[in-house]
């Protein structure tokens, strides 16, 4: 496991002061987004939201390790990674308000976030195999939580990647709980990273609350992946809040979890302290980072609220590229009902 960044410092590493400032800036953007999204959901602005507070360092570190052409396959809690990669925050807000994902003009190579658990892992292997067949040099990075390792898709995705040497980094954010289930109730394996051995691929474990350590691990993993060696990375972090806004974590975990202090400590506070100690930021710069993040979010909310109202017919529009005949008929029947009785109220 990587040593704590606060023990290591920037001297003797490949990271510059600019790297540290960029990581802190994006962690602040992510934290502000998470806080604003949670507040918006609580007032009924969107139906549900999965907070990621406490996992900013792992996601920002991974995002900073990726090349522009690398493909991201996010899960529903990967919002910090998506935003850092260039997905507009307004896109994520709109998705949570029921709109089709990624209809803006950005050109970030990213799949829609996967809400089903682990379904994106075989997709990532397919993306990697496609790169190999086309003789392209990009790699895929797929995100998932520790709970996804209990799904069959996890094993199938890693097995195919190992057999076909797919350029994929499987990035597991082990935040301690799969909803209410702790890791020790899911697997008898010593770690998630150890599961890589079964598929003949490399496994790494990293301090997920250290953005520079995560970046270092993911850069190494992506380099191996591009050489035909898929990698499983387990980032050890902690979910500070609920699984989703419909969850009450006090029902299944204590305020004082049986985890080391470095793992449960707030990663943003920890990294800001490190940056101050290294002399790469001061009060004025940090304050400006928060102000910029708040300005970005105000604009994102305004963009989302300016989107055209959804019509009931759009329930059918994004199921298939070409709608089959039975769904065409079902849509016609539904629209006839709407014409006669009006649409069902749509909750926001």
């Amino acid at each position: 496991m990587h040593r704590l960044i606060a023990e290591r410092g920037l001297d003797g590493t490949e990271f510059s002061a600019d790297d540290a400032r960029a990581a802190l800036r994006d962690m602040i953007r992510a934290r502000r987004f998470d806080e604003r999204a949670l507040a918006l959901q609580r007032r009924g602005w969107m139906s549900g939201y999965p907070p990621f507070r406490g996992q900013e360092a792992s996601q920002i570190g991974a995002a900073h390790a990726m090349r522009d052409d690398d493909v991201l396959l996010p899960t529903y809690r990967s919002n910090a990674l998506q935003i850092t990669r260039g997905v507009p925050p307004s896109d994520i807000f709109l998705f949570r308000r029921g709109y089709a994902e990624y209809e803006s003009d950005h050109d970030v190579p990213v799949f829609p976030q996967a809400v089903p658990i682990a379904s994106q892992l075989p997709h990532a292997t397919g993306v990697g195999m496609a790169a190999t067949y086309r003789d392209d040099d990009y790699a895929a990075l797929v995100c998932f939580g520790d709970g996804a390792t209990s799904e069959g898709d996890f094993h199938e995705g890693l097995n195919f990647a190992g057999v076909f040497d797919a350029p994929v980094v499987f990035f597991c954010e082990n935040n301690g709980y799969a909803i209410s289930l702790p890791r020790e109730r899911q697997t008898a394996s010593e770690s998630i990273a150890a599961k890589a051995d079964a598929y003949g691929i490399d496994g790494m474990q990293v301090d997920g609350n250290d953005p520079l350590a995560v970046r270092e691990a993911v850069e190494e993993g992506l380099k191996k992946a591009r050489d035909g060696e898929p990698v499983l990375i387990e980032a050890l972090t902690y979910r500070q809040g609920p699984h989703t806004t419909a969850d009450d974590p006090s029902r299944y975990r204590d305020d004082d979890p049986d985890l080391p202090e470095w793992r449960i400590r707030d990663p943003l506070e920890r990294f800001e302290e490190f940056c101050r100690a290294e002399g790469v930021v001061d009060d004025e710069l940090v304050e400006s980072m928060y102000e910029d993040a708040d300005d970005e979010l105000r604009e994102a909310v305004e963009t989302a609220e300016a989107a055209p109202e959804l019509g009931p017919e759009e329930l059918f529009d994004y199921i298939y590229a070409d709608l089959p005949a039975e769904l065409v008929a079902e849509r016609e029947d539904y629209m006839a009902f709407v014409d006669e009785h009006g649409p069902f109220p749509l909750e926001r």
Side-chain angles (χ1 to χ4, degrees):
M1 185 187 301
H2 283 68
R3 295 167 58 198
L4 298 187
I5 192 69
E7 295 176 355
R8 187 172 69 231
L10 288 176
D11 292 341
T13 74
E14 296 181 1
F15 302 114
S16 67
D18 285 342
D19 292 328
R21 281 189 286 266
L24 180 62
R25 178 201 65 212
D26 285 332
M27 288 178 69
I28 289 172
R29 292 176 66 213
R31 176 62 59 86
R32 282 301 211 224
F33 175 90
D34 194 60
E35 291 172 344
R36 188 65 184 276
L38 184 59
L40 289 168
Q41 192 282 328
R42 292 306 192 200
R43 79 177 202 203
W45 194 79
M46 52 189 174
S47 60
Y49 177 70
F52 57 80
R53 184 185 180 98
Q55 298 180 221
E56 294 91 347
S58 64
Q59 295 191 30
I60 272 65
H64 283 200
M66 298 177 71
R67 292 191 332 203
D68 290 345
D69 60 340
D70 288 334
V71 179
L72 172 65
L73 292 94
T75 185
Y76 53 85
R77 207 183 304 278
S78 302
N79 295 164
L81 215 157
Q82 292 167 278
I83 292 169
T84 305
R85 285 282 287 161
V87 175
S90 56
D91 276 22
I92 301 174
F93 283 148
L94 284 167
F95 171 69
R96 286 286 159 192
R97 282 166 66 83
Y99 291 78
E101 198 169 9
Y102 307 141
E103 290 206 326
S104 68
D105 294 330
H106 76 72
D107 57 358
V108 181
V110 56
F111 274 49
Q113 55 183 267
V115 177
I117 305 301
S119 63
Q120 70 275 25
L121 274 75
H123 301 164
T125 298
V127 169
M129 292 170 67
T132 300
Y133 295 153
R134 295 171 176 172
D135 200 27
D136 289 331
D137 191 39
Y138 66 80
L141 185 137
V142 57
C143 308
F144 53 99
D146 47 297
T149 66
S150 295
E151 296 286 340
D153 288 324
F154 168 82
H155 305 281
E156 293 156 5
L158 269 70
N159 188 56
F160 266 78
V163 170
F164 293 102
D165 301 325
V168 182
V169 170
F170 297 91
F171 185 66
C172 176
E173 288 185 272
N174 182 350
N175 64 18
Y177 289 87
I179 307 183
S180 59
L181 199 67
R183 188 199 68 84
E184 59 268 19
R185 293 289 304 277
Q186 293 189 77
T187 179
S189 297
E190 181 180 351
S191 68
I192 301 298
K195 294 179 181 289
D197 292 344
Y199 307 104
I201 68 176
D202 192 16
M204 305 183 203
Q205 194 178 68
V206 64
D207 175 4
N209 286 346
D210 174 346
L212 300 186
V214 174
R215 175 178 163 180
E216 182 179 355
V218 174
E219 283 179 344
E220 180 181 346
L222 287 168
K223 182 178 184 300
K224 289 184 176 182
R226 292 189 188 94
D227 291 336
E229 301 177 32
V231 176
L232 169 62
I233 298 177
E234 177 186 12
L236 297 171
T237 183
Y238 186 66
R239 190 191 78 212
Q240 293 183 6
H243 173 71
T244 69
T245 46
D247 175 41
D248 177 8
S250 67
R251 298 180 61 184
Y252 56 81
R253 73 183 188 193
D254 298 327
D255 291 336
D256 185 20
D258 186 22
L259 291 171
E261 190 276 339
W262 62 263
R263 185 167 174 183
I264 61 175
R265 189 181 175 201
D266 188 288
L268 178 54
E269 292 178 1
R270 172 182 158 184
F271 192 63
E272 183 180 334
E273 288 177 10
F274 163 74
C275 288
R276 289 179 181 276
E278 293 290 326
V280 299
V281 299
D282 56 20
D283 290 344
E284 182 178 359
L285 181 56
V286 171
E287 183 178 352
S288 71
M289 290 177 176
Y290 277 97
E291 290 174 352
D292 290 344
D294 290 340
D295 290 342
E296 178 183 41
L297 287 172
R298 276 192 290 272
E299 183 177 339
V301 171
E302 291 173 0
T303 299
E305 290 181 336
E309 286 292 323
L310 293 173
E313 69 279 0
E314 294 185 59
L315 289 169
F316 299 87
D317 286 349
Y318 300 98
I319 302 174
Y320 294 95
D322 297 307
L323 210 60
E326 58 269 25
L327 281 183
V328 171
E330 186 175 332
R331 180 171 61 184
E332 291 173 353
D333 288 344
Y334 177 61
M335 292 311 298
F337 174 90
V338 168
D339 289 342
E340 182 175 356
H341 303 285
F344 293 113
L346 297 178
E347 296 293 337
R348 283 288 177 83

